[in-house]
Amino acid sequence: ARALFPALAFSLLAPLPARADIAPPQAPPGAGIAPGEELTQVRMVSERVMLTILPNREGEMPKARTEAVFQMRNLGAVEEKMDARFPLVFGESVYYSEMFPEISDIQVKVDGKVVATRRQMGGYLDSETKIPWAVFPVMFPPGQDVNITVAYTTLGFGYEPHIVFRYILETGAGWKDNIGSAEIVVVLPYAASLENVVLDEYSGYGQTTRNPQFSGNEIRWRFENLEPTWEDNFAVLVIQPSAWQKVLRERENTAKTPNDGEAWGRLGKAIKDVIRYPKGYLRADDASRQMYLEAVAAYEKSVTLLPKDALWHYGFADLLWSHYVFDVHWAGRQDVAGLLRLSQELNTSLTLDPKNQNARDLADTISYT
């Protein structure tokens, strides 16, 4: 069977484990750590998470270096000595261990000093599910602050170039009271914006946590007096670095050489690749709509400068079809001018290269639809 958009190549990046807060020791057998059940007098006063997304090569799984710093305070009158723990996997990782590898490079510091961790199987939120934890000793004197730092490398998941990174806050609910303050900072290898951080609620990947604040290469979220549940778990959907670097590179190329039709075509394709999901429909956020217009203008420049290049005519038609079929046709609207332009570009491509199978498949799809 012919694919709807045969020219769009994409690969599945294996879903990988989300990472989480430190948690107090397991409850005695038969009891479970749950919000509201105080098993310790130690409170998580503050939590600061920095997730630095690293540059990646095309086809390489994007990674992020994560560092979480916790300020803990014993509100009781008695010293507490315990084995604190940090989950090495989460959720569905339990059932798909090959797709969800454990954290392999975890490092824990207590008040600036590295402490050894050991792997231990234990329950998570229910008594039946067993997952591996990194367990480490820590002592909480009464009335004093203890700072715990956990650092590791995490992997994103999704269909490239749209990649999700997550951080689990709900494990912090087992500590005394609520989390006084929490801040999550995501750092990109370039300026962060609504173009490369996706807020589209229809993405199907899990929506980016609301109300991000942008500053340079950073995106920040802040929470106060948080009693976390699963609904508070953090997610950010980004364009993977290798794909976004293409957009930046071709914007620069077209600015330097405005008469280069190939550069304009590459820009149109680079933008198309980051605003279109694997099933063919376009992102619905405002930034994507503006980028769509930029991609249309880039393709128009390309086919004007290279009128006999069948591939750029096809690429332009492919973009116009994604917009037309999902945003116009399926929405019950009409755009005769847009459909005519799409047909002209596709017919030109097939006239110049009748053997282009991608263009032939697109023509069949349009005719069938």
Side-chain angles (χ1 to χ4, degrees):
R2 290 174 174 171
L4 178 60
F5 293 101
L8 178 61
F10 58 88
S11 62
L12 174 63
L13 294 178
L16 294 159
R19 309 310 186 192
D21 284 345
I22 55 175
Q26 285 184 240
I33 296 177
E37 293 184 2
E38 307 295 351
L39 304 177
T40 175
Q41 293 300 307
V42 178
R43 185 190 186 199
M44 188 181 292
V45 177
S46 68
E47 171 180 14
R48 187 177 191 272
V49 180
M50 180 167 284
L51 194 153
T52 303
I53 299 176
L54 305 174
N56 73 306
R57 299 185 182 90
E58 188 172 0
E60 178 184 57
M61 289 185 184
K63 300 178 181 179
R65 186 64 185 164
T66 304
E67 182 178 85
V69 180
F70 308 92
Q71 180 188 2
M72 315 297 294
R73 184 177 301 158
N74 184 353
L75 302 180
V78 179
E79 177 182 273
E80 291 192 33
K81 186 177 181 180
M82 65 176 74
D83 283 338
R85 58 201 179 102
F86 188 92
L88 296 174
V89 299
F90 180 77
E92 56 267 36
S93 311
V94 177
Y95 310 106
Y96 302 98
S97 58
E98 292 183 1
M99 298 175 64
F100 297 80
E102 296 179 22
I103 295 173
S104 61
D105 63 347
I106 191 167
Q107 183 184 70
V108 178
K109 294 181 181 180
V110 177
D111 286 334
K113 296 181 179 180
V114 176
V115 297
T117 64
R118 71 179 189 275
R119 183 180 183 276
Q120 178 177 301
M121 296 299 292
Y124 178 74
L125 298 183
D126 65 73
S127 59
E128 297 180 357
T129 304
K130 301 295 182 182
I131 67 169
W133 297 78
V135 179
F136 55 94
V138 59
M139 183 174 64
F140 298 102
Q144 295 186 27
D145 287 349
V146 174
N147 294 311
I148 300 174
T149 302
V150 180
Y152 54 89
T153 302
T154 188
L155 295 162
F157 68 97
Y159 288 94
E160 58 179 332
H162 302 90
I163 304 300
V164 177
F165 288 93
R166 289 181 176 166
Y167 185 85
I168 307 305
L169 288 164
E170 65 179 304
T171 44
W175 298 98
K176 176 72 173 179
D177 297 336
N178 54 31
I179 301 175
S181 65
E183 183 180 40
I184 298 178
V185 182
V186 175
V187 184
L188 298 180
Y190 31 69
S193 72
L194 291 175
E195 290 185 329
N196 50 45
V197 178
V198 183
L199 301 187
D200 181 8
E201 62 180 310
Y202 304 108
S203 70
Y205 297 95
Q207 189 176 359
T208 293
T209 298
R210 294 182 178 181
N211 302 321
Q213 302 296 314
F214 293 86
S215 177
N217 288 26
E218 297 182 351
I219 317 106
R220 295 173 179 267
W221 291 260
R222 188 169 178 82
F223 312 92
E224 300 288 341
N225 299 318
L226 179 66
E227 186 64 49
T229 69
W230 66 270
E231 294 178 320
D232 299 300
N233 292 335
F234 171 82
V236 60
L237 175 60
V238 300
I239 303 301
Q240 71 174 15
S242 60
W244 189 248
Q245 292 288 8
K246 285 184 180 180
V247 175
L248 296 178
R249 183 169 59 248
E250 298 308 337
R251 281 175 173 173
E252 183 178 352
N253 286 339
T254 53
K256 289 180 178 178
T257 56
N259 293 320
D260 185 347
E262 288 287 332
W264 284 109
R266 292 194 304 268
L267 176 59
K269 184 180 186 304
I271 295 174
K272 177 172 65 177
D273 288 346
V274 302
I275 65 172
R276 185 164 69 177
Y277 296 121
K279 291 186 177 181
Y281 61 94
L282 303 178
R283 285 165 43 185
D285 53 280
D286 292 339
S288 176
R289 294 186 185 97
Q290 293 301 312
M291 293 174 70
Y292 168 76
L293 297 177
E294 182 184 359
V296 168
Y299 272 120
E300 286 178 337
K301 282 272 192 178
S302 178
V303 297
T304 298
L305 292 166
L306 300 171
K308 295 185 178 181
D309 192 315
L311 290 178
W312 293 131
H313 284 286
Y314 161 72
F316 192 8
D318 182 41
L319 172 66
L320 294 172
W321 175 244
S322 281
H323 168 68
Y324 184 86
V325 69
F326 292 102
D327 298 338
V328 179
H329 176 69
W330 281 12
R333 298 186 289 110
Q334 294 187 11
D335 179 8
V336 175
L339 187 59
L340 285 174
R341 182 62 191 273
L342 157 64
S343 300
Q344 290 167 357
E345 292 300 327
L346 185 56
N347 288 335
T348 300
S349 178
L350 286 168
T351 299
L352 292 168
D353 182 9
K355 295 182 180 180
N356 184 333
Q357 190 60 49
N358 288 334
R360 292 166 64 90
D361 288 344
L362 180 57
D364 287 348
T365 297
I366 293 171
S367 177
Y368 175 80
T369 304

